[in-house]
């Protein structure tokens, strides 16, 4: 069977309404064989069928098109309707009724919405049936128009699915490329940072040290961006973030280290912390530090400079809670709904540019620990709260 005929069979079979249409046509006309056929210059192919005559045709079966009246419908574009072959001046001696043994017959052309001929909606029966009255003909034509519309919908849906699949494959290749690129950038970036450190150690000239310090800061920023991209692509490609879970004593000391680091980088800002001493937790220490670092950076960048940033961490009722709160305008529910999505950035003051992956990675770290991130914003303060089981 030709490939195009097979695809046409699949098109009709994909239309959920077709079986009901054929059953309705059979019940309305009284014909015991009704089908949709794809008809070309060289072939007649069954696409869908209701067969109560044991005629034997199944979807995909073919007939010699020259033995059918559908060939005439194809050539003229006009319907053929026969109430009683023996009483028909035109068809009583025609070879087709003799071959297939019918007395009543109809074949209505089906056109695609762009005007191309698809085939026919046809039916037959060994007994004569009144088919040519205006209501029956009009109803059959409406059914063919419905089939044509469904073909258009299926074609549009198929094109959309193909485009989506192509876009998905492109996106996967793009993310694989970004992951490989990010991985390969680590080595040269490490060399740049080592070179900057060497210059700072060996040269005391202020102008040289200024340049070396600028190189070091830029390289560190690039390294952080590369790590974010690698984490993002690893999560998107199904591997998830790499976690090395272990029982960590002195979680509070780890968290204070992060607070101290961010405080030194932002000496003009106030960070108040209330971290429960002696915390122990089954976690990935590096990822937990990364989570707090990103939440603190987010609070410092997007929060009001006039208000301190608060960090609270404790264990209550079997749950470890880490909350970072900053002052500033309330966030709308629409903005909160977008915050944890990748490549999404809220508008903020200059100097906050980035890839928009920080909070997405925070969410992935939380999920990797069996926890979650909740965002709340009201009364001039915004809080990001990470919770996870304290014992696992």
């Amino acid at each position: 069977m030709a490939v195009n005929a097979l695809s046409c069979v699949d098109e009709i079979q994909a239309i959920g309404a077709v079986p009901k249409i054929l059953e309705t046509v059979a019940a309305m006309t009284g014909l015991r064989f009704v089908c949709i056929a794809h008809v070309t210059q060289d072939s007649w192919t069954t696409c869908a069928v209701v067969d109560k005559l044991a005629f034997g045709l199944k979807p995909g079966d073919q007939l010699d098109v020259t033995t059918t009246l559908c060939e005439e419908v194809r050539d003229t574009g006009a319907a053929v309707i026969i109430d009683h072959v023996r009483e028909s001046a035109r068809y009583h001696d025609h070879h087709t009724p003799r071959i297939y043994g019918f007395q009543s017959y109809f074949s209505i052309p089906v056109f695609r919405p762009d005007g191309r001929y698809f085939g026919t909606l046809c039916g037959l029966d060994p007994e004569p049936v009144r088919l040519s009255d205006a209501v029956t003909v009009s109803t059959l034509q409406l059914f063919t128009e419905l089939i044509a519309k469904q073909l258009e919908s299926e074609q549009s849906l198929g094109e959309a699915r193909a485009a989506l699949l192509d876009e998905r494959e492109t996106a996967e290749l793009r993310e694989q490329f970004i992951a490989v690129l990010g991985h390969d950038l680590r080595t040269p970036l490490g060399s740049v940072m080592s070179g900057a450190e060497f210059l700072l150690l060996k040269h005391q000239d202020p102008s040289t040290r200024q340049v070396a310090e600028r190189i070091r800061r830029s390289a560190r920023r690039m390294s952080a961006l590369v790590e974010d991209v690698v984490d993002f692509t690893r999560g998107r490609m199904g591997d998830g973030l790499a976690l090395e879970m272990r029982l960590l004593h002195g979680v509070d000391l780890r968290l204070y280290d992060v607070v101290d680091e961010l405080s030194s980088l932002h000496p003009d800002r106030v960070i108040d912390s209330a971290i429960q001493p002696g915390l122990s937790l089954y976690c990935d220490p590096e990822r937990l530090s990364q989570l707090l670092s990103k939440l603190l950076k987010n609070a410092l960048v997007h929060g009001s400079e006039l208000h301190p940033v608060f960090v609270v961490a404790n264990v209550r009722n079997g749950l470890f809670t880490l909350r970072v709160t900053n002052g500033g305008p309330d966030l709308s529910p629409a903005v909160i709904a977008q915050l944890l999505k990748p490549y999404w950035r809220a508008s903020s003051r200059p100097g906050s540019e980035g890839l928009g992956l920080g909070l997405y990675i925070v969410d992935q770290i939380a999920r990797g620990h069996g926890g979650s991130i909740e965002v709340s914003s009201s009364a001039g303060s915004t809080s990001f709260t990470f919770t996870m089981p304290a014992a696992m």
Side-chain angles (χ1 to χ4, degrees):
M1 190 188 308
V3 174
N4 66 332
L6 278 172
S7 65
C8 289
V9 173
D10 291 340
E11 278 187 278
I12 295 297
Q13 288 292 310
I15 300 174
V18 160
K20 182 63 68 176
I21 289 174
L22 295 184
E23 289 286 355
T24 302
V25 170
M28 178 190 72
T29 60
L31 300 181
R32 286 171 285 175
F33 179 89
V34 178
C35 79
I36 299 171
H38 173 59
V39 184
T40 69
Q41 196 74 26
D42 306 309
S43 66
W44 186 103
T45 307
T46 308
C47 295
V49 62
V50 168
D51 183 6
K52 299 177 182 179
L53 290 174
F55 204 72
L57 287 177
K58 303 180 299 298
D61 289 347
Q62 293 191 317
L63 298 176
D64 181 352
V65 70
T66 62
T67 67
T68 71
L69 290 178
C70 293
E71 182 181 37
E72 178 181 332
V73 176
R74 180 203 65 209
D75 293 340
T76 63
V80 171
I81 299 176
I82 309 171
D83 294 333
H84 196 167
V85 170
R86 282 194 294 269
E87 296 179 359
S88 170
R90 182 172 181 179
Y91 295 105
H92 74 277
D93 290 328
H94 198 282
H95 64 279
T96 298
R98 289 200 304 271
I99 292 173
Y100 297 111
F102 62 79
Q103 288 297 310
S104 52
Y105 174 89
F106 76 86
S107 181
I108 313 290
V110 176
F111 296 95
R112 294 185 182 275
D114 61 6
R116 290 181 295 128
Y117 180 73
F118 176 87
T120 66
L121 171 65
C122 56
L124 57 84
D125 198 279
E127 300 296 327
V129 175
R130 178 70 175 171
L131 300 171
S132 59
D133 64 90
V135 173
T136 300
V137 173
S138 177
T139 303
L140 291 174
Q141 289 174 338
L142 285 174
F143 278 125
T144 62
E145 291 174 9
L146 176 59
I147 293 167
K149 288 292 185 183
Q150 291 294 314
L151 283 171
E152 180 183 28
S153 297
E154 288 299 321
Q155 180 179 343
S156 298
L157 181 60
E159 291 172 352
R161 285 173 176 165
L164 179 60
L165 179 61
D166 182 63
E167 180 60 29
R168 183 178 298 166
E169 291 173 348
T170 301
E172 288 177 356
L173 288 173
R174 181 170 58 246
E175 289 176 1
Q176 289 171 4
F177 169 77
I178 292 172
V180 172
L181 178 63
H183 184 272
D184 290 348
L185 281 173
R186 287 170 165 170
T187 299
L189 276 174
S191 298
V192 171
M193 284 190 286
S194 297
E197 296 286 354
F198 177 80
L199 289 174
L200 288 169
L201 286 173
K202 295 296 183 180
H203 294 272
Q204 300 304 315
D205 178 68
S207 60
T208 301
R209 292 182 63 82
Q210 185 178 14
V211 172
E213 182 59 40
R214 188 180 302 122
I215 292 172
R216 181 170 65 174
R217 287 198 305 268
S218 297
R220 284 178 174 174
R221 176 163 173 74
M222 290 171 64
S223 180
L225 291 173
V226 166
E227 291 301 324
D228 280 355
V229 168
V230 171
D231 282 342
F232 168 71
T233 52
R234 185 182 290 120
R236 294 281 282 192
M237 291 166 65
D239 297 332
L241 294 184
L243 296 179
E244 297 181 9
M245 305 290 285
R246 63 183 177 88
L247 180 61
L248 175 66
H249 299 291
V251 171
D252 50 313
L253 301 180
R254 282 270 186 169
L255 300 181
Y256 273 123
D257 285 343
V258 175
V259 173
D260 290 343
E261 179 186 358
L262 270 295
S263 294
S264 65
L265 292 174
H266 299 268
D268 56 328
R269 301 295 299 277
V270 177
I271 303 177
D272 287 339
S273 54
I275 301 175
Q276 181 179 330
L279 285 176
S280 296
L281 204 62
Y282 187 74
C283 64
D284 182 325
E286 297 302 324
R287 291 296 189 184
L288 186 61
S289 297
Q290 184 184 14
L291 180 146
L292 176 56
S293 178
K294 289 187 178 299
L295 288 181
L296 262 178
K297 288 177 184 176
N298 179 76
L300 291 166
V301 168
H302 298 286
S304 169
E305 296 179 344
L306 303 177
H307 296 83
V309 174
F310 297 95
V311 177
V312 177
N314 53 52
V315 172
R316 297 284 189 275
N317 301 319
L319 284 179
F320 169 72
T321 299
L322 174 61
R323 179 178 297 109
V324 176
T325 303
N326 61 265
D330 295 349
L331 303 181
S332 69
V335 168
I336 291 175
Q338 301 295 320
L339 284 175
L340 303 182
K341 295 182 179 179
Y343 296 123
W344 191 89
R345 294 180 294 177
S347 58
S348 58
R349 61 181 179 275
S352 64
E353 54 279 313
L355 295 175
L357 294 176
L359 294 178
Y360 169 80
I361 292 171
V362 164
D363 184 53
Q364 294 300 301
I365 294 173
R367 292 172 184 267
H369 282 81
S372 63
I373 292 288
E374 298 293 333
V375 185
S376 60
S377 187
S378 63
S381 69
T382 298
S383 295
F384 287 78
T385 304
F386 165 53
T387 57
M388 64 169 283
M392 297 179 64

